[in-house]
Amino acid sequence: MATSRRFLRPLLYTSIVAASGGGVLYYVNRPRSLPGSDPASVPPPRYTDNGKLSPPRFPLVKTRDEQIADLKKSSGIRSAVDAVKETTSGVPGSASKNYQGAAEGEQGKSQDEEPYDLLVIGGGATGAGIALDAVTRGLKVAMVEREDFASGTSSKSTKLVHGGVRYLEKAVWDLDYNQYALVKEALRERKYFLDTAPHLSNWLPIMIPVQKWWQAPYFWAGTKFYDFLAGAEGIESSYFLTKSRALDAFPMLRKENLFGALVYYDGAHNDSRMNVSLAMTAALYGATVVNHVEVTSLDKDANGKIIGAKVKDRVQEKNGHQAEEFSIKAKGVINATGPFADAIRKMDEPQTQEIVAPSSGVHVILPGYYSPLKMGLIDPKTSDGRVIFFLPWQGNTIAGTTDAPTDISQNPIAGEEEIYWILSEIQGYLAPDLNVRRGDVLAAWSGIRPLVKDPNSKNTESLVRNHLITVSDSGLLTCAGGKWTTYRQMAEEAVDEAIQRYSLKTNPILQAPRISGSEMIDDAAPLDGTCQTHQVRLIGAHGFSNTLFINLIQHFGLESIVAKHLTESYGDRAWTVAALSAPTEQRYPVRGLKISALYPFIDGEVRYSVRHEYAQTAVDVLARRTRLAFLNAQAALEALPNIIDLMTEELHWDKKRQEKEWTDTVQFLASMGLAKSKLSVTRKDVESGKAGEYDEHERALYSRHDRPADMMESDSKLSSGEKPIVSIHSPVNK
């Protein structure tokens, strides 16, 4: 008996250890569902027996003019066109508050002269997220933006969708539960983000270089804890790379003092296109969404409660006309203007205490050869203790960010000191034979992060770590702070607060729009009047898959890189973009005229942006619909004549408007890092090629190549056609 126990006990222990180890290995390496890897919810159209293919037909948003007319109706202003429509149709000017029409191109009719349930001021990530959340709860919603969707901070992020490894480190060392909760919330939201917009976001492995042996277990424990917190919301597990494997994955890395590397996974996205998609999805569900409409004042009733706002259409001013001011009536007003939140709050209460502590974050864009195509890098401890990211993005490399107090402006300019600091920090991690030059910077911009202070806190200098929702005595609800990753959670909390404060009633949406463009599938979200934005897929998501670009190549004859770009920027709406692209009159590619030879952006995107995404200026297209201005300021300048011509065809601009677009866009490109000498260039200069010329100082700063060698053919000692080789007649052989 004793003998059997002596043999069975070690066998039992060994079995337990083996089973436990196997379980851990299976959990770490278990099959995962990569975003976009599953077949599209709506399969691509197929060819019929006679060889014809009918591209998808998607529901249309209202035109921008129709949206503005709807805004005016809330205060009782009715256009002559509306009156005629009502007379001829015999239908009273009222209908269900909810979206009821499912026909293509139609939106549900709201009660014409009733106020909106909510008016959202600000069309950034937070404002667009609030509009989508509220309208999918059956509320009547309007959203106005002074500039363009994502024109501020929301287009100038680090392009990451992340929980924040540095926040987790602070949470552990400082035993800070709030930091821990922030990371946990962000990791959950990261998964929702990638599920609802798989075409605009992706998983990205990020490398942490290990320079001392003792850092390996420290970083390993941190990344594994990060994986553990993500749980089911995670994707791939972090892992360690030896020095040789690290250099193989990231060849540009400095070899000296490199022990190895830890690799963990976070999300990346196309921020401004995500923002535009949020706004357009809200519009499809029935929200009144308009850009370039400025709030000039807040309307109040006799009791001092806010009942709406006065606004004006800035596009009319750009066209040389006087902008008509009109009122929008609403039961509740939400201020979601990011860094400009205090300006709206002071419209309400001029003496109110400011809550925004603006911080500048500078990013630079370098050529794509500075980083691998699908591997980023993070330096968790820079020379001054900050964190810097070095990431592949849109074929180039993005590096940043700084973090310093700043003043608030619409288009801040990145300072040379910050640019050189970023270049100096990344040079320390790259191989010494790679010379990171100032002239390699293709674009540089500064985004303003709206850190916030709680006005109700005793310590008014302390900053809120995530976001803040506050309501004034007159009823202005302000939602400020936070970050891109948690926009959805911020929107949910803001709408929850608004429903309670303004006594709003949500309603189920009985006949939701077929955003997928097909009757084959309904959206996964049950729109029952509760928050469902964690399940509401954005415009373009339904028919997207990682192989969709092949269908576009086969049907439209697009260049491969262009087809892939379109599917990753527009999802299934790439069918429409491709159809709007002009023939090249070449054997291949058949369609798609590039607006810049260096990048895959094509003419169809300009037309689509104007017709389906409310683009009203050349900057809207160059910066927020395509990302050319963020990727290469000089290339954006050279593409500007073509952009203005295409938009003139769509919007019928006169000569004065075209000249204004030129001036405004060149000034904007200064905030994208365009050389100062280029700010006075004319269209004729660009079309003649003079925009590419530099003086000696700027050649050293901005030129991506050295000057040509000063060797002329007449200086050669060789006869014409003679090869520089050693011959029998050479002096060395005598």
Side-chain angles (χ1 to χ4, degrees):
M1 191 69 162
T3 303
S4 61
R5 285 181 179 175
R6 190 163 54 243
F7 286 106
L8 289 175
R9 187 173 296 171
L11 182 60
L12 177 62
Y13 293 159
T14 303
S15 301
I16 292 174
V17 170
S20 301
V24 171
L25 286 173
Y26 175 79
Y27 178 79
V28 170
N29 299 289
R30 68 192 184 279
R32 312 289 182 105
S33 178
L34 295 171
S37 61
D38 294 331
S41 300
V42 178
R46 299 187 180 277
Y47 286 91
T48 60
D49 294 336
N50 59 5
K52 291 186 177 181
L53 180 143
S54 298
R57 299 181 64 196
F58 300 110
L60 304 176
V61 295
K62 289 184 177 180
T63 66
R64 185 175 180 276
D65 289 342
E66 289 173 333
Q67 296 279 42
I68 290 177
D70 285 345
L71 291 177
K72 293 178 179 180
K73 290 176 187 176
S74 70
S75 59
I77 302 174
R78 299 178 57 76
S79 68
V81 175
D82 293 325
V84 171
K85 283 182 179 179
E86 185 170 321
T87 302
T88 56
S89 64
V91 178
S94 62
S96 170
K97 179 191 292 185
N98 299 338
Y99 186 101
Q100 298 291 339
E104 179 181 332
E106 293 188 359
Q107 303 292 319
K109 295 180 180 179
S110 56
Q111 294 179 346
D112 287 340
E113 297 184 7
E114 282 194 4
Y116 286 96
D117 291 320
L118 290 175
L119 168 62
V120 183
I121 307 174
T126 306
I130 290 172
L132 180 59
D133 187 305
V135 75
T136 52
R137 298 198 204 191
L139 298 176
K140 183 182 176 184
V141 184
M143 181 185 79
V144 294
E145 162 60 45
R146 180 181 63 183
E147 299 292 336
D148 183 30
F149 311 123
S151 60
T153 307
S154 297
S155 63
K156 299 175 180 177
S157 70
T158 310
K159 323 304 179 191
L160 283 177
V161 187
H162 63 133
V165 289
R166 67 185 186 275
Y167 298 136
L168 181 59
E169 184 181 30
K170 290 179 182 178
V172 172
W173 285 110
D174 298 342
L175 298 178
D176 189 333
Y177 178 78
N178 290 329
Q179 290 277 13
Y180 167 83
L182 176 62
V183 174
K184 185 71 175 172
E185 173 187 278
L187 288 173
R188 182 187 68 247
E189 293 299 317
R190 183 185 68 176
K191 186 63 164 57
Y192 295 153
F193 203 113
L194 274 70
D195 285 344
T196 56
H199 56 302
L200 294 171
S201 51
N202 60 278
W203 290 100
L204 179 68
I206 300 177
M207 178 182 291
I208 307 175
V210 177
Q211 296 179 319
K212 306 290 184 182
W213 69 265
W214 54 265
Q215 291 179 324
Y218 178 77
F219 289 146
W220 183 87
T223 55
K224 287 302 176 185
F225 190 26
Y226 196 63
D227 295 341
F228 173 76
L229 287 183
E233 280 78 37
I235 181 67
E236 295 284 353
S237 296
S238 56
Y239 55 91
F240 177 77
L241 289 177
T242 61
K243 178 178 179 178
S244 60
R245 295 282 301 277
L247 291 171
D248 183 55
F250 208 117
M252 308 82 178
L253 212 55
R254 180 183 290 268
K255 298 178 183 179
E256 291 76 16
N257 300 321
L258 182 66
F259 178 79
L262 261 298
V263 177
Y264 73 97
Y265 284 78
D266 252 327
H269 75 133
N270 189 336
D271 51 7
S272 70
R273 286 226 49 84
M274 179 75 179
N275 199 151
V276 171
S277 296
L278 283 168
M280 293 301 101
T281 305
L284 279 175
Y285 275 103
T288 306
V289 173
V290 191
N291 55 350
H292 297 287
V293 168
E294 180 180 4
V295 171
T296 57
S297 63
L298 299 175
D299 291 337
K300 298 183 179 181
D301 63 13
N303 298 318
K305 297 296 183 182
I306 293 177
I307 56 172
K310 284 187 173 61
V311 300
K312 65 177 181 179
D313 181 7
R314 301 185 71 215
V315 171
Q316 294 301 317
E317 293 180 332
K318 293 178 185 294
N319 287 331
H321 307 304
Q322 175 130 13
E324 173 194 2
E325 200 173 67
F326 60 92
S327 291
I328 304 172
K329 298 302 181 185
K331 299 173 185 176
V333 176
I334 298 180
N335 172 18
T337 52
F340 303 95
D342 284 328
I344 301 297
R345 294 176 71 245
K346 289 184 177 182
M347 285 185 184
D348 176 29
E349 299 174 359
Q351 304 304 319
T352 191
Q353 176 187 330
E354 294 185 353
I355 63 171
V356 176
S359 173
S360 170
V362 171
H363 296 82
V364 302
I365 288 288
L366 298 167
Y369 52 71
Y370 273 107
S371 66
L373 184 62
K374 293 187 178 181
M375 175 75 76
L377 183 143
I378 178 176
D379 179 0
K381 294 291 183 183
T382 60
S383 58
D384 61 359
R386 289 182 286 188
V387 171
I388 194 167
F389 287 97
F390 193 62
L391 311 167
W393 183 66
Q394 298 286 305
N396 283 355
T397 301
I398 183 172
T401 176
T402 61
D403 185 10
T406 187
D407 295 326
I408 296 175
S409 60
Q410 181 60 44
N411 294 309
I413 295 177
E416 286 296 318
E417 183 178 350
E418 290 95 336
I419 292 173
Y420 276 106
W421 178 83
I422 293 174
L423 298 181
S424 173
E425 291 297 327
I426 63 177
Q427 179 71 77
Y429 271 94
L430 298 181
D433 56 337
L434 292 179
N435 182 23
V436 185
R437 305 175 301 173
R438 175 60 178 85
D440 287 333
V441 176
L442 303 176
W445 70 84
S446 173
I448 301 177
R449 184 184 177 195
L451 303 176
V452 291
K453 299 174 288 188
D454 188 347
N456 299 319
S457 173
K458 293 182 180 179
N459 181 8
T460 57
E461 296 303 315
S462 62
L463 298 177
V464 176
R465 289 186 175 90
N466 40 31
H467 61 273
L468 175 70
I469 296 175
T470 181
V471 184
S472 70
D473 292 339
S474 59
L476 177 66
L477 190 154
T478 297
C479 181
K483 59 180 184 177
W484 240 119
T485 308
T486 57
Y487 85 91
R488 194 209 64 83
Q489 180 66 30
M490 293 169 60
E492 179 180 350
E493 293 179 15
V495 175
D496 287 344
E497 181 69 19
I499 289 171
Q500 181 180 356
R501 289 277 181 169
Y502 306 133
S503 302
L504 303 177
K505 182 182 178 183
T506 63
N507 297 277
I509 298 180
L510 304 178
Q511 295 181 7
R514 299 283 182 170
I515 294 180
S516 66
S518 171
E519 296 293 328
M520 296 168 55
I521 183 172
D522 211 345
D523 207 317
L527 302 179
D528 56 3
T530 63
C531 177
Q532 294 294 325
T533 48
H534 61 292
Q535 299 184 81
V536 173
R537 283 174 288 185
L538 301 189
I539 183 172
H542 297 79
F544 171 75
S545 72
N546 286 333
T547 58
L548 177 61
F549 75 100
I550 299 174
N551 301 106
L552 295 180
I553 294 172
Q554 293 175 333
H555 184 63
F556 293 104
L558 297 174
E559 191 177 350
S560 296
I561 189 174
V562 170
K564 197 163 182 59
H565 153 69
L566 293 183
T567 57
E568 292 175 353
S569 298
Y570 302 90
D572 56 26
R573 265 49 175 189
W575 287 100
T576 305
V577 179
L580 289 171
S581 302
T584 63
E585 305 302 335
Q586 298 175 2
R587 183 175 180 275
Y588 182 82
V590 179
R591 279 180 178 266
L593 299 174
K594 287 187 177 181
I595 62 177
S596 171
L598 299 174
Y599 298 94
F601 308 118
I602 58 174
D603 59 324
E605 296 181 71
V606 182
R607 298 185 183 93
Y608 182 87
S609 298
V610 173
R611 298 183 190 184
H612 302 284
E613 294 182 340
Y614 300 164
Q616 295 295 305
T617 70
V619 172
D620 293 352
V621 171
L622 284 170
R624 269 91 60 176
R625 303 312 187 281
T626 71
R627 306 311 307 273
L628 186 56
F630 281 82
L631 291 169
N632 191 321
Q634 178 69 23
L637 176 66
E638 293 168 0
L640 184 54
N642 190 23
I643 297 296
I644 290 178
D645 288 346
L646 287 168
M647 296 189 74
T648 297
E649 292 176 9
E650 295 292 321
L651 297 170
H652 311 294
W653 289 342
D654 59 21
K655 196 67 176 175
K656 285 186 178 180
R657 177 64 193 273
Q658 293 177 46
E659 292 172 354
K660 179 172 177 56
E661 284 301 310
W662 182 270
T663 302
D664 290 351
T665 306
V666 172
Q667 290 299 317
F668 170 81
L669 291 177
S671 69
M672 292 287 108
L674 186 67
K676 291 181 180 179
S677 65
K678 301 297 183 293
L679 301 183
S680 59
V681 298
T682 64
R683 175 169 179 155
K684 187 176 180 181
D685 292 334
V686 172
E687 292 176 332
S688 64
K690 292 182 179 179
E693 298 177 358
Y694 295 87
D695 59 29
E696 287 299 318
H697 174 68
E698 288 181 339
R699 180 176 291 277
L701 281 180
Y702 296 96
S703 180
R704 292 178 58 190
H705 52 79
D706 295 328
R707 299 195 65 174
D710 198 20
M711 184 74 170
M712 311 293 274
E713 185 177 348
S714 59
D715 296 330
S716 176
K717 304 297 183 184
L718 301 173
S719 324
S720 178
E722 185 179 352
K723 296 180 180 179
I725 60 175
V726 176
S727 70
I728 58 173
H729 302 294
S730 299
V732 72
N733 289 325
K734 291 182 179 179

